[in-house]
Amino acid sequence: MATERTFSIIKPDATERNLTGKINAMIEEAGLRIVAQRRIQMTDAQAKRFYDVHAERPFYGELVEFMTSAPVVVQVLEGENAVAKYREVMGATNPAEAAEGTIRKECALSIGENSVHGSDSLENAKLEIGQFFSEADIAG
Ligand code: CMP
């Protein structure tokens, strides 16, 4: 299996409840390395662009409003099979369906306030990383 990089966001519901450290510990315990991270206040334009794929969904406005409601932590995670591994560590989008021991089972409040985002493919990981990190940020 190849070493991959994936993109992660620790969302406002988690930063607001001081869960950044707990989530980072769960990420590291799963064998993923945090190779870059930055705490930012996402702008309306950044959130709209990031979630453009969901622009026609009924929850799009609510999603953009939520993602800009408080700081988030954007991250690049590295490891064997990192894209699939992180999705496993996050658990299902809806915390009611998330498996025991996953981040969303332990931390998420609802399908919207679900604590973390992780890329769904290697191709999207590259695009998403590029939206928030420069080559210099993630070199080495
Ligand atoms: P994320 O992995 O960040 O990608 C899209 C997000 O949309 C998803 O996590 C959820 O937080 C959010 N989402 C998906 N379905 C709903 C829904 N029915 N209502 C509100 N938010 C949703």
Side-chain angles (χ1 to χ4, degrees):
M1 257 181 280
T3 298
E4 295 175 351
R5 283 179 171 179
T6 192
F7 179 72
S8 160
I9 305 177
I10 301 179
K11 296 187 181 185
D13 67 283
T15 63
E16 289 267 86
R17 288 177 290 141
N18 289 348
L19 293 173
T20 300
K22 175 180 171 143
I23 291 171
N24 278 350
M26 292 176 82
I27 289 169
E28 292 186 334
E29 274 159 24
L32 291 166
R33 189 184 306 281
I34 301 163
V35 295
Q37 67 177 346
R38 186 185 301 127
R39 191 171 187 268
I40 61 165
Q41 173 64 52
M42 224 186 243
T43 65
D44 191 62
Q46 278 176 317
K48 282 182 172 152
R49 180 176 171 216
F50 186 76
Y51 282 119
D52 187 53
V53 63
H54 297 303
E56 303 306 320
R57 302 280 198 97
F59 57 81
Y60 180 64
E62 192 185 311
L63 178 59
V64 169
E65 198 176 313
F66 167 59
M67 292 301 289
T68 55
S69 66
V72 300
V73 178
V74 290
Q75 306 178 303
V76 180
L77 310 181
E78 184 179 270
E80 291 293 305
N81 213 16
V83 172
K85 166 92 63 82
Y86 188 44
R87 289 185 74 81
E88 210 178 290
V89 175
M90 288 194 300
T93 304
N94 184 348
E97 292 163 11
E100 288 298 330
T102 61
I103 294 171
R104 284 168 171 161
K105 178 72 177 184
E106 295 230 351
C107 304
L109 299 173
S110 66
I111 194 166
E113 297 186 306
N114 66 353
S115 300
V116 281
H117 165 84
S119 307
D120 62 5
S121 67
L122 199 51
E123 189 189 357
N124 281 337
K126 290 201 174 86
L127 293 172
E128 292 174 0
I129 289 169
Q131 283 181 38
F132 293 95
F133 293 95
S134 71
E135 282 299 323
D137 289 330
I138 53 175

